[in-house]
Amino acid sequence: MRRVQHFIDGRLLASADGGTFTSTSPVDNQPIAEVAEGTAADIDAAVAAARGAFDHWSRLDPAERKVMLHRVADLVDARRDELAEWETRDMGKPLALSRDKDMPRVAQNLRFFADWAEQVSTSTYAKPWDQVLTYELREPLGVVGAISPWNFPLMLLSWKVAPALAFGCTVVAKPAEQTPVTASMFAEICAEAGLPDGVFNVVHGFGPGAAGEALTTHADVDAITFTGESATGSAIMAAAAPTQKKLSFEMGGKSANIVCEDADLDAAVAGSLRGIFVNQGEVCLAGSRLLVHRSIHDEFLDRFVAGAESWTVGDPFDPGTQVGPLISPDHLDNVLGYIDLAQQEGAKLLTGGHRRTDGALAQGNYLPPTVFADADNSMRVCQEEIFGPVQLVMPFDTIDEAIAIANDSDYGLAGMVWTQDLDTAHKVAAEVKTGTMWVNCFFVRDLRAPFGGYKASGLGREGGDHSYRFFTEAKAVVMKLS
Ligand code: NAD
């Protein structure tokens, strides 16, 4: 059993009231960590530490912050294997994903924003005819609360923490209660890298009525950057209203993946499989509604189902595993409930759909890739986020129809289109209301680009200059020249 503590003002601490909770591994649902359970008192202490550190940290030359953040990145690289193992034990994703994708992205997030903060500029607005010169100053925003989910635990935490720190803010992070371990390891790394006390703090615990909510209502927190469910975003927005915090939300999705009749089928099948089954389908960006042109529907589906059946489900520490366990028994039940619902609503189960209980898998929360044909976009399973390896497939006849189906959703996070036709690609990209549209690819990211969602999928954007604008406050300085 690992002991996981808060990290406040440079020190590892138990909760003020001594409370703890047990974290289990989805691999076998056995306890792996005893975790400090934060309350409002711990949030108070962390916010005070972050406020105390702010003056010094915010006034450093970005080049000085850059040196420290690069050191943090180097230590993440040095401890990559250990971090990846704990991420997989805590979350269930295949080890190769933790080690070769998530942890390198953590280091990349840190280096990218550390460098970016040195490059950013501001505008001037000259009116020489009026002898007025106006220029913009951007100042670090203050104390930021960073609330993150369990599906990419350290990667998504670093996506918030790296820009916040690089642009001169101090941070109180509240990681997901299901996956607390790597956030604490990251805090140790920050201390080892020489980050001043109080610049980065971690308080563990739950959301509603607990540490998470205390962060969102705290009068001395200037902003909340949150990634998680859309309903949680609404709760945070309401909780933060009395203290009028700046908010940035990255939330749920039900993205459409559109396969056109002229698509490169090999690429479309492989990309679409990844688009729903990677990370057990526990991906906000997943292309969970698969729209296939009627003329290729049957052939595509045959290949897609064969592909789904070839994905190996198993222990995430096994090098051959592509689909690990779902995060918790409750979440597995929730996903199985949607599988029942899909059948009640008239979708046709083509593969998967049943929990794997063979051998050691009986101890964990394993569900194989599951594919439904004959889905209709009005079904609840096509409107609600399932957040598991469940693909709903439906045919379309015209690209306008596919776009209309894609837009018939409360969400607008991502989308994919597979086509060889430039006009079709541009039309879909322009007309689908979504934060990211991938053309003939999936999951490719440029960290300078805006990231976020339309509608219930997000509020604001992060990435590159978008993060710069979020984590800084703009000031207009107006000078009358004589
Ligand atoms: P969640 O909303 O249940 O929890 C996310 C975080 O919010 C956790 O740290 C939790 O403790 C905290 N929280 C919950 N209620 C709170 C409250 N009332 N006040 C303050 N904090 C609170 O989400 P989850 O189940 O951890 O993650 C899955 C969800 O995240 C899915 O909907 C997924 O689509 C979404 N997600 C979105 C993105 C994106 O970039 N758009 C990325 C990953 C995950």
Side-chain angles (χ1 to χ4, degrees), residues 37 54 60 73 120 133 174 185 227 238 260 282 285 323 335 347 349 394 399 421 424 465 470:
E37 183 175 342
F54 179 71
L60 286 179
V120 289
L133 175 71
K174 209 302 280 169
M185 296 169 74
T227 300
C260 299
E282 294 168 325
L285 303 160
V323 180
V335 176
L349 181 65
M394 55 197 112
I399 198 65
D421 184 82
T424 304
D465 276 342
F470 181 73

Side-chain angles (χ1 to χ4, degrees), residues 147-152 156 159 174-178 205-209 211-216 226-233 235-236 239 249-253 282-285 385 387 411 413 451-453 457:
I147 302 178
S148 50
W150 49 260
N151 60 335
F152 292 87
L156 286 173
W159 174 245
K174 209 302 280 169
E177 55 272 27
Q178 297 88 342
F206 297 84
E213 190 177 323
L215 191 57
T216 62
F226 160 75
T227 300
E229 285 182 21
S230 303
T232 308
I236 291 177
F249 290 170
E250 293 175 352
M251 301 186 284
E282 294 168 325
V283 178
C284 53
L285 303 160
E385 188 181 39
F387 221 58
Y411 295 107
L413 187 61
F451 184 76
S457 291

Side-chain angles (χ1 to χ4, degrees), residues 269-270 272-274 277 300-312 322-323 351 369 371:
V269 170
S272 301
L273 288 166
R274 237 184 112 232
F277 299 130
F300 182 91
L301 209 51
D302 285 348
R303 293 173 64 172
F304 185 81
V305 169
E309 288 172 349
S310 76
W311 278 50
T312 307
Q322 291 163 289
V323 180
T351 188
V371 181

Side-chain angles (χ1 to χ4, degrees), residues 344-416:
Q344 287 162 29
E345 289 187 300
K348 185 172 159 203
L349 181 65
L350 298 184
T351 188
H354 301 283
R355 182 182 172 193
R356 286 277 300 269
T357 52
D358 39 312
L361 301 194
Q363 308 303 313
N365 319 311
Y366 294 90
L367 183 68
T370 297
V371 181
F372 283 99
D374 300 341
D376 184 279
N377 202 51
S378 64
M379 294 173 177
R380 269 183 61 201
V381 287
C382 290
Q383 292 293 328
E384 297 175 18
E385 188 181 39
I386 298 175
F387 221 58
V390 181
Q391 180 76 84
L392 283 308
V393 188
M394 55 197 112
F396 69 89
D397 292 302
T398 67
I399 198 65
D400 285 320
E401 183 193 354
I403 291 168
I405 294 171
N407 284 333
D408 178 15
S409 173
D410 291 339
Y411 295 107
L413 187 61
M416 283 168 264

Side-chain angles (χ1 to χ4, degrees), residues 398-464:
T398 67
I399 198 65
D400 285 320
E401 183 193 354
I403 291 168
I405 294 171
N407 284 333
D408 178 15
S409 173
D410 291 339
Y411 295 107
L413 187 61
M416 283 168 264
V417 58
W418 303 87
T419 178
Q420 305 291 321
D421 184 82
L422 211 48
D423 286 346
T424 304
H426 283 296
K427 181 179 166 70
V428 172
E431 294 184 17
V432 177
K433 304 244 173 288
T434 188
T436 298
M437 176 57 74
W438 281 291
V439 179
N440 296 328
C441 60
F442 172 63
F443 238 172
V444 180
R445 290 285 311 281
D446 184 322
L447 303 190
R448 295 169 299 181
F451 184 76
Y454 282 53
K455 303 188 263 184
S457 291
L459 183 73
R461 296 290 183 275
E462 294 191 27

Side-chain angles (χ1 to χ4, degrees), residues 154-216:
L154 191 54
M155 197 282 270
L156 286 173
L157 187 81
S158 68
W159 174 245
K160 301 175 173 313
V161 170
L165 296 181
F167 295 120
C169 298
T170 54
V171 173
V172 177
K174 209 302 280 169
E177 55 272 27
Q178 297 88 342
T179 52
V181 176
T182 50
S184 270
M185 296 169 74
F186 183 74
E188 290 167 23
I189 286 174
C190 288
E192 194 183 335
L195 232 63
D197 293 351
V199 166
F200 175 65
N201 307 274
V202 180
V203 176
H204 294 287
F206 297 84
E213 190 177 323
L215 191 57
T216 62

